[in-house]
Each structure stands twice: as structure tokens, then as C-alpha cells.
Amino acid sequence: MGQGRCILFLFACLPASLLAGALPEGRWVDLSHDFAEDTIYWPTADKFAKSTVFAGETDKGYYYSAYNLAAAEHGGTHVDAPVHFARNKLSVDKIPLEQLIGQGVVIRVADRIGKDRNYKISVADIQRWEEKHGTVPENSIVLLDTGSARFWPDPVKYMGTAERGEAAVEKLNFPGLGPDAALYLAEKRGIKAVGLDTPSIDFGGSQLFKTHRILFEHNVPALENVANLGALPDKGFTVIALPMKIRGGSGGPTRVVALVPD
Amino acid sequence: MGQGRCILFLFACLPASLLAGALPEGRWVDLSHDFAEDTIYWPTADKFAKSTVFAGETDKGYYYSAYNLAAAEHGGTHVDAPVHFARNKLSVDKIPLEQLIGQGVVIRVADRIGKDRNYKISVADIQRWEEKHGTVPENSIVLLDTGSARFWPDPVKYMGTAERGEAAVEKLNFPGLGPDAALYLAEKRGIKAVGLDTPSIDFGGSQLFKTHRILFEHNVPALENVANLGALPDKGFTVIALPMKIRGGSGGPTRVVALVPD
């Protein structure tokens, strides 16, 4: 079909929104937990704190409220920038927008996780998805649904312990992405970014954080504590993850959303 | 033209990306300043602070870096939620995603601002845009380019003073949206949100913050300290503003981006 004829038909058939370069019709899904006193942080990390500057009627006759914030970069729904575990790699403000925006896929492994929650998502788990849906497309944002979000915000169920401090780290217990599978996604599939519904892209018992190190050497950022993956289809949607633009930050609070077409 | 025939032609003509519900082709423009020690805050607000938890080689043989953050909600590129100035209105975590995502327009007024920078953008300024481009569409996100972003991060040039504390407030001097124009946009044009390249949607000399109060009574959030509006066309692009999801927050750090179609 000739291009001229195509353009003619496009104008006749397409909604005006598409012609103007607008987003396709669809529903927005929020994949972010909120930040509050019960937001889950690593046992050694400063938790989120919000303090009141003012909240009430002013002497000028109108209502006003404002708060101050404090938190570690890594807690709640956030991104790990490559420099979190890889010297001279991208800090969070330098991650190109295009790398945190792209077509999403969800790989679901909740039914693979046994009583020991320290499950490592494997190449076979990814290939099981690929047998059903085809090869994970290049430049995808791959989201891993371990079923853990249903435990949020209970830290014992979610990550194995509610204790705080260095001694609690050895009690951490939650699923993560295995190093082999991280290498497969980064090198064989050329993904843009990865994300999951646990506190860390490495499993809870990890000592050497090999998956972080493999991903970040490849400049593949990781979204952690992602919410609501059950509301997404397995593929065919767009992920938009926009982090707080912290100059030189190793990561930070990130609003992760998805556009699921009608 | 019949719908069935339309669908047939669409499949023949459209790029596969559009059919899959993917975003239209275009370039992403970052409309956000970064957060660092020189990020501009209101004279009475706590500035952004980043402290090092660790940055260097660990005893396990890999590099690691992580930081803590602290700041007021309102500073840098951020959103004011309606509850900032209107009791019982939406807090930042409750603003629907759909309200901060939509078609953008830019109204440019840099050439209207005289030596006293306390200019109030008027209904006439908006109508001047409308004479050229047509009525501001319902559900738009209206961005006001006062030309102030070129002064960032110099607080004297940007907002009239580098001093800190209550006494500095009366020295503030920068353009804002006039109350009449705010009412026009909220009631006559039914916009989703408004944004501008100054520290506040009210002009620097404002005492009663009438524009904030009008907008927020209408549940119209305001983006402040927006960057890079000169990189956008006057219309025909999509704005995506994703705030940090602070439970009960009156606003917060927000990554504002635009998709400009090719």
C-alpha cells in the first residue's frame, strides 16, 4: 500500500489524540508503594521520616500545610543506579530517561518459591516465559513478580525480619534474581532495566550481591519494592519509572507507573 | 468510512509499536532540575542535604555507594498538592496519575516582564496564546515560561535574594500566575495542572497566595521550579509529572518530563 494512501486513511480513521503524538488510550497503573513511617527499609538504612513544618490555619486566614522529609536513598519503591555497586557507572540523575521508559514484561515466579523464601530466579524461569510469549524483546523493562508485594508493609513476612541494625541482615529472607539470569537478561536480551517486588534484586541471603554487580557493570538499573505487578498483563504495556533527580545519587525514591492499553 | 475497513487499513499502515499500545515515537525532554546543595529552596525552608553512608571499596572486594537525603517538600522541581493551601483537599499521594499526565501547552511571557520581576501573568497573556493556537484544550497541563530558568541556580537573579530566614521573604521578587488567570484556567478551561519556572505559582511579592488558594480549591496542582521549557514547542506534546509518593504530603520532589513527537 502506498504511503500517500496510508496517510490519507490514517487521517480518516485514527483518533485525533494519536495524530497529535499523544499517548495511546489506556489505564494508568501505579506500581509504587507510598512513603510513610511503615515503608520498608533495609535493616541498616535510615527509614523514611516526615516532620511537620506547619499544618493548620494561618493568621492570614487560610489553611497551610508543609512537611520536611528524610530517608535513605534505598527504601520503599526506588531505583538502584549503577553506581550503587559499580564505580564510575551512572548515578541516578544520569540515567537516561529512555532507559527507564519502555515496553514492560512481567515474569511471574510466585509458584516457584518454597518455604525458604531465598529463591533465586533462574534462566529457566525466564525461558519458561519465553516459551509462552516469545523472546524477551530487546530494550524491555523486565518486572519480576515474586508474589511478595502481598506481604507489604509487614517486614517479617516481606523480608524475614522486622529487626533493625547490622545483626538483622543475616535474617533477611526473600526471593531475588539469580546472577546467571541477570547476565542472561543483560547480555543475551539487552534489556533496559529490571524490577521486582522485594527489597533487593539479590535474594535475601546474598552476601556478595553478585546480581547487583553484574547488572550495574552493564549499566542496567534495578527497581526495587515495586508494587501491584498483579494488575499488569504479562506483556504489551509501557513502564515509566521516574526517579528523584539526586545529583550523584546512588539511587532514590522513584515513582513507577505503567500504561496498559485498552 | 466503516470501522472494519478502518481497522484493516490501520494494520496495513501503522508502525507495530502503535498497535501494541506503545508510546508514539518522539524525544524525551527532562523538565527537572537536579537535587543538590545548590538547589533553590524558599528562604524559610530546609534545603536539600545529601550525606554519605558509604562510598568506596568494601572489605568484600566490590565498590559500594549509598547516601541519605533530607529536604523540605517544597523546593527544587516539585509539585504543590492541593492540601498545601486547602484543607481536606488532595495530598500528593492522592493526586490521580491521570491529572499529572496529559497534553501540554507552553505560554511564554518572558518578554512581558519588566524591571520589577513581580509580574503577574494575566488572562490577556493566556488569550494572546489562544489567538495564535486556539482555545487552551480542556484537561491540558499548562506550563508558563517566564524565562526565569536561565537564572537557575543563582537565587538572587532567580528569586530576588540569597538570604535565608523569615526576613528574606519580603525580598522575594519573581513572576507568577495572577489570581484572575488562575481562575480562568481552572474554571473556564478545565485544565488538569499548571506549572512554571519560578519558585512559586504566586508572584514573589505575594502576601496572601491567592493563586495557590484558587487553584487548590479547584484541585489543580501546581508544578514549581520547572526547567527547560525552552526545549518544548508551544503545544502538541505530552507532560508526565511523577511526584514522590509521600503519604499525606503537601507536595514533594517531582520528576517532570515531556514527550515531544517526532
Side-chain angles (χ1 to χ4, degrees):
Chain A
M1 184 178 273
Q3 202 183 352
R5 204 170 150 206
C6 266
I7 288 168
L8 191 72
F9 282 118
L10 285 178
F11 274 89
C13 304
L14 273 180
S17 59
L18 270 183
L19 290 176
L23 302 185
E25 298 291 312
R27 64 187 165 92
W28 289 97
V29 179
D30 195 349
L31 306 177
S32 322
H33 295 292
D34 60 6
F35 285 90
E37 65 282 354
D38 58 0
T39 300
I40 295 176
Y41 279 73
W42 203 253
T44 55
D46 282 8
K47 295 191 77 169
F48 176 84
K50 170 165 151 271
S51 58
T52 303
V53 178
F54 190 89
E57 289 294 316
T58 66
D59 55 13
K60 289 178 181 164
Y62 56 82
Y63 179 85
Y64 178 80
S65 67
Y67 304 89
N68 286 332
L69 315 171
E73 287 174 324
H74 300 272
T77 304
H78 71 284
V79 71
D80 281 9
V83 78
H84 188 37
F85 275 89
R87 189 190 290 274
N88 297 329
K89 293 289 182 182
L90 295 177
S91 54
V92 68
D93 53 320
K94 302 294 189 200
I95 301 172
L97 292 174
E98 294 75 9
Q99 198 170 352
L100 294 173
I101 300 172
Q103 60 184 318
V105 311
V106 182
I107 299 175
R108 301 185 203 280
V109 298
D111 61 355
R112 310 280 301 164
I113 293 158
K115 207 163 178 179
D116 177 6
R117 297 192 68 243
N118 273 319
Y119 181 78
K120 285 184 269 188
I121 297 166
S122 66
V123 173
D125 289 327
I126 298 165
Q127 288 172 338
R128 205 161 14 245
W129 187 96
E130 293 189 321
E131 281 160 22
K132 195 168 168 188
H133 298 294
T135 304
V136 171
E138 197 178 348
N139 291 321
S140 292
I141 296 177
V142 175
L143 302 173
L144 308 164
D145 184 355
T146 73
S148 299
R150 71 182 184 278
F151 300 131
W152 185 277
D154 179 338
V156 176
K157 289 182 179 162
Y158 187 75
M159 66 178 186
T161 182
E163 293 172 35
R164 307 270 304 150
E166 196 57 56
V169 172
E170 65 182 32
K171 298 179 181 174
L172 290 170
N173 188 316
F174 55 80
L177 178 65
D180 291 354
L183 199 62
Y184 180 85
L185 290 172
E187 291 199 345
K188 298 268 198 277
R189 293 296 175 255
I191 65 168
K192 284 185 174 180
V194 68
L196 86 177
D197 57 354
T198 76
S200 176
I201 193 70
D202 273 287
F203 70 105
S206 174
Q207 300 292 310
L208 294 172
F209 302 100
K210 285 183 184 169
T211 293
H212 280 88
R213 291 154 63 190
I214 289 166
L215 291 172
F216 300 166
E217 279 300 331
H218 290 78
N219 261 327
V220 175
L223 300 160
E224 297 171 337
N225 297 318
V226 177
N228 215 11
L229 294 174
L232 298 176
D234 288 359
K235 62 174 187 173
F237 60 93
T238 298
V239 177
I240 301 179
L242 296 184
M244 184 175 168
K245 194 175 181 179
I246 301 163
R247 190 187 303 164
S250 73
T254 299
R255 195 70 176 266
V256 186
V257 304
L259 177 59
V260 182
D262 288 336
Chain B
M1 184 179 269
Q3 201 183 355
R5 206 171 150 205
C6 266
I7 288 167
L8 192 72
F9 281 118
L10 286 179
F11 273 89
C13 303
L14 275 180
S17 59
L18 270 185
L19 291 176
L23 301 186
E25 298 292 311
R27 63 188 166 91
W28 288 97
V29 179
D30 196 348
L31 306 177
S32 323
H33 296 292
D34 60 5
F35 285 90
E37 65 284 351
D38 58 1
T39 300
I40 295 176
Y41 280 74
W42 203 253
T44 54
D46 282 9
K47 295 192 76 168
F48 176 84
K50 170 165 152 271
S51 58
T52 303
V53 177
F54 190 89
E57 290 293 316
T58 67
D59 55 13
K60 289 177 180 164
Y62 56 83
Y63 179 84
Y64 178 81
S65 66
Y67 304 88
N68 287 331
L69 315 172
E73 286 174 324
H74 300 272
T77 303
H78 72 285
V79 71
D80 280 11
V83 79
H84 188 36
F85 275 89
R87 188 190 290 275
N88 297 327
K89 293 289 181 182
L90 295 176
S91 54
V92 68
D93 53 320
K94 301 295 189 198
I95 302 173
L97 293 174
E98 294 76 8
Q99 198 170 352
L100 293 173
I101 301 173
Q103 59 184 318
V105 311
V106 182
I107 298 175
R108 301 185 202 280
V109 297
D111 60 356
R112 310 281 301 163
I113 294 160
K115 206 161 180 182
D116 177 8
R117 297 193 67 243
N118 272 319
Y119 182 77
K120 286 184 268 187
I121 297 166
S122 66
V123 174
D125 289 327
I126 298 165
Q127 288 172 338
R128 208 163 10 248
W129 187 96
E130 292 189 321
E131 280 160 23
K132 194 168 169 188
H133 298 294
T135 304
V136 170
E138 198 179 346
N139 291 320
S140 292
I141 296 176
V142 175
L143 302 173
L144 308 165
D145 184 354
T146 72
S148 300
R150 69 182 185 278
F151 301 131
W152 185 278
D154 179 337
V156 176
K157 288 182 180 162
Y158 187 74
M159 64 179 187
T161 182
E163 294 172 35
R164 306 270 304 150
E166 195 58 54
V169 172
E170 65 182 34
K171 298 179 182 173
L172 290 169
N173 189 315
F174 55 80
L177 178 65
D180 291 353
L183 198 62
Y184 181 85
L185 290 172
E187 290 199 345
K188 298 268 198 278
R189 294 296 175 256
I191 65 169
K192 284 184 174 180
V194 67
L196 87 177
D197 56 355
T198 77
S200 175
I201 192 70
D202 272 288
F203 70 105
S206 174
Q207 300 292 312
L208 293 172
F209 302 100
K210 285 184 185 169
T211 293
H212 281 88
R213 291 153 64 191
I214 289 167
L215 291 171
F216 301 167
E217 279 299 331
H218 290 79
N219 260 326
V220 174
L223 300 160
E224 296 171 337
N225 296 319
V226 176
N228 215 11
L229 294 175
L232 298 176
D234 289 357
K235 63 174 188 173
F237 60 93
T238 299
V239 178
I240 301 179
L242 297 184
M244 183 175 170
K245 193 176 181 178
I246 301 162
R247 189 188 303 165
S250 73
T254 299
R255 194 69 176 267
V256 186
V257 304
L259 177 58
V260 181
D262 287 338

